[in-house]
Amino acid sequence: MDQGVSSREACRIVGINRRTGKRWCNGTAATKKRPAQPAHRVRAERVISASRHLTVEERLYIADQVWANAAVRRIAADLGRSPSTISREIRRNRHPTNGQYRPHAAQARADPAADHDQMRALVVSVRRIPHSPDRPDRRTALS
């Protein structure tokens, strides 16, 4: 499914029943006969970002690790981030009723903030330009 095929097609390629594919993807709940089984997740390669903001890949990795009940410090070490950053990310982007971490909602909230940071940096850089004949003085513009 990571290659863009449907779950039905992925099951056909692997050679398993669709029900088994759903169980692999979603995990199973506990019953009287068997304990709960987590979904089969492929561990991501260690992601290290030099960026100030978390990337989509980092958020998806956090979601996988939170779902697997990994410790915040371990997630932070894997991503090369501070544990407080990971803890804050999880706390701010949990679903209000069921408490699940939502990486795509977190990214959707972060994108406008990143645009704002870029715009702010542009305004600060323009303000640092020395006065020139093309740029009118602030006092003359107000008079």
Side-chain angles (χ1 to χ4, degrees):
M1 289 188 298
D2 289 337
Q3 285 98 19
V5 297
S6 67
S7 78
R8 176 180 280 175
E9 183 65 17
C11 291
R12 189 191 65 73
I13 291 169
V14 176
I16 59 172
N17 187 331
R18 278 188 26 221
R19 182 178 286 176
T20 303
K22 285 184 181 180
R23 216 173 27 241
W24 284 5
C25 186
N26 302 324
T28 58
T31 64
K32 291 180 182 178
K33 296 182 180 181
R34 63 175 161 70
Q37 297 291 321
H40 292 274
R41 304 281 182 177
V42 176
R43 184 177 168 129
E45 294 290 323
R46 186 171 184 178
V47 180
I48 296 178
S49 173
S51 174
R52 176 177 171 211
H53 303 285
L54 292 170
T55 64
V56 177
E57 291 80 17
E58 288 174 318
R59 286 190 168 96
L60 291 172
Y61 183 76
I62 292 170
D64 288 341
Q65 295 304 309
V66 166
W67 197 88
N69 292 324
V72 171
R73 289 188 177 276
R74 184 175 138 230
I75 298 170
D78 287 348
L79 295 176
R81 299 280 187 166
S82 169
S84 63
T85 301
I86 305 303
S87 175
R88 189 179 314 115
E89 174 71 15
I90 294 168
R91 186 179 67 244
R92 287 180 179 170
N93 295 298
R94 284 195 181 271
H95 192 274
T97 56
N98 65 16
Q100 290 181 333
Y101 174 68
R102 303 173 304 163
H104 296 292
Q107 188 65 32
R109 287 179 60 192
D111 286 340
D115 291 342
H116 177 76
D117 286 349
Q118 289 175 354
M119 180 59 78
R120 184 170 184 262
L122 177 66
V123 169
V124 168
S125 68
V126 167
R127 286 185 178 170
R128 289 186 179 151
I129 297 173
H131 293 287
S132 68
D134 296 337
R135 183 174 170 195
D137 188 14
R138 179 191 267 171
R139 285 174 275 158
T140 59
L142 295 175
S143 348

